[in-house]
Amino acid sequence: MRRFTPAALAALTVTAALTAVPAAHAHTGRPALGVDHCTATACHFDVPPGTYDVTVRLGGEAASSTAIRGETRRSLLPETAVPAGERVTRGFTVNVRTPEGEPTGAAGTAGLDLVLGGSAPALADIRVTPSRHARQIFLVGDSTVCDQPGDPYSGWGQQLPQYLRKGVSVANYADSGESTVTYLGNPQLWATVQPQIHRGDLVLIQLAHNDKTTDEATYRANLETLVAGVRDKGGEPVLVTPIVRRWFNADGTLNNGTALLVNGLGVDHPAVVRSVAAARDVPLIDLTARTKEMVESLGVEGSKALYLYNEKRDNTHTSVHGATVYAGLVRDALVAQHLVPAGTVRVG
């Protein structure tokens, strides 16, 4: 699958009162970075690559509703309504890296960039400090997972951070066009991810869409290599079956090879993933089954909004809406399988 040209971010016209308060101090003793690094629509923090805790106070004299995204279009905080005259505090942890989006893509801008959105944004205060004990969730995947650079595309990994509270960070190393073969072979990908894995980190692996010419033995061996590589670093691998393609049969089902990721060699990718998970005692998120159920329940018309059918006649890549819904399925599975504590995720 190809990479899509970045779209320029539209200028936001919002009014937000930025109220300076005395600076808190990070663990290092240095002042935390605050609202003096923000305008009414965005914040920029000149920090090196790493993991950072962000605490925001939202609200103003009028009723407000604020969402925050950052870096390459990552959703970091869902839209949060605050009544007039009140303030609420929210937090999240963000991974800052170069390149800031897809590992083989453009470098992006140095530091941490946040954009204020929502129907009526109001940021009263913000504090950014280095995160010393954050748990990382690494993502290994393709264009259906990655931080897509431009509208209207979005990978589910791009939307996952908004479901996580401070203390858990998503490091999305998914990359457009990658198969298990190319992900292992490119030094910008697996060879870059593996050394960063620490004990207790999760590594979610969803690679299948581009293994169109990979035979079953090679596909299985590649998945096993990734699993072993995660465990060698003390991390916990999680195998994820691929999201379905929106390809209906006449009877309204998705029971065909195109929809369910069976390649031209007859390799049933989801079945192999399930088999490796069972054989290697790896947690499994069966996103194929979950997305199939959802798409079929919505039907031919209703499911169009999950993908980019209306915009691009694209039945593989998800819209922001679809990626957000699918990220919610991943969140639910992480909690249900006790891979993350329930208290570290946002629900609703």
Side-chain angles (χ1 to χ4, degrees):
M1 289 175 280
R2 62 188 182 90
R3 178 174 287 105
F4 303 96
T5 304
L9 289 176
L12 298 175
T13 56
V14 299
T15 58
L18 301 181
T19 306
V21 299
H25 288 264
H27 299 289
T28 59
R30 293 176 293 179
L33 301 175
V35 293
D36 52 326
H37 294 263
C38 299
T39 68
T41 61
C43 303
H44 173 76
F45 302 95
D46 188 14
V47 296
T51 305
Y52 294 88
D53 290 331
V54 181
T55 302
V56 295
R57 288 184 68 228
L58 305 176
E61 295 309 308
S64 63
S65 188
T66 309
I68 299 176
R69 64 178 181 174
E71 299 296 88
T72 303
R73 302 176 60 241
R74 300 181 217 160
S75 294
L76 299 172
L77 187 71
E79 188 155 357
T80 303
V82 182
E86 295 186 16
R87 304 288 189 274
V88 300
T89 301
R90 295 289 185 269
F92 55 87
T93 301
V94 60
N95 172 255
V96 176
R97 60 183 183 271
T98 302
E100 68 179 26
E102 295 180 86
T104 64
T109 57
L112 170 61
D113 288 284
L114 304 175
V115 177
L116 308 178
S119 58
L123 176 66
D125 186 34
I126 186 168
R127 288 290 176 262
V128 176
T129 58
S131 181
R132 301 186 69 180
H133 303 292
R135 186 186 192 191
Q136 295 280 16
I137 299 178
F138 289 92
L139 303 182
V140 169
D142 53 36
S143 61
T144 66
V145 184
C146 75
D147 288 348
Q148 287 281 0
D151 287 323
Y153 295 88
S154 180
W156 61 255
Q158 202 164 20
Q159 302 302 323
L160 185 61
Q162 67 185 298
Y163 290 121
L164 301 172
R165 300 182 188 275
K166 188 162 61 176
V168 182
S169 173
V170 174
N172 191 351
Y173 281 86
D175 195 71
S176 292
E178 306 300 342
S179 65
T180 57
V181 175
T182 61
Y183 203 95
L184 285 166
N186 188 331
Q188 293 176 280
L189 299 173
W190 183 236
T192 297
V193 175
Q194 191 193 20
Q196 299 182 62
I197 300 169
H198 293 96
R199 184 165 301 279
D201 288 340
L202 291 179
V203 183
L204 275 57
I205 302 165
Q206 186 215 281
L207 287 166
H209 279 269
N210 300 299
D211 280 280
K212 298 171 184 173
T213 60
T214 308
D215 64 80
E216 183 169 339
T218 301
Y219 184 64
R220 180 182 296 272
N222 289 344
L223 291 176
E224 291 174 340
T225 296
L226 290 166
V227 166
V230 174
R231 286 176 167 166
D232 284 346
K233 302 297 289 186
E236 182 170 6
V238 180
L239 289 173
V240 184
T241 60
I243 67 169
V244 295
R245 294 189 179 99
R246 185 189 161 277
W247 199 269
F248 282 93
N249 297 324
D251 63 359
T253 67
L254 300 179
N255 296 318
N256 59 78
T258 299
L260 299 182
L261 284 295
V262 178
N263 74 9
L265 301 178
V267 180
D268 185 332
H269 294 103
V272 176
V273 175
R274 295 177 189 121
S275 175
V276 172
R280 301 298 178 183
D281 194 24
V282 179
L284 174 74
I285 296 178
D286 199 339
L287 206 51
T288 305
R290 291 169 183 265
T291 56
K292 177 179 184 291
E293 180 182 11
M294 178 167 288
V295 170
E296 287 181 341
S297 69
L298 290 171
V300 173
E301 291 301 317
S303 62
K304 288 179 179 178
L306 296 173
Y307 292 81
L308 293 172
Y309 180 85
N310 293 325
E311 298 86 351
K312 302 286 184 178
R313 294 297 187 267
D314 187 333
N315 291 307
T316 297
H317 297 94
T318 48
S319 63
V320 171
H321 167 67
T324 302
V325 171
Y326 287 176
L329 296 177
V330 174
R331 171 206 57 190
D332 294 345
L334 291 173
V335 173
Q337 298 188 50
H338 306 290
L339 294 169
V340 297
T344 64
V345 301
R346 294 186 176 94
V347 296

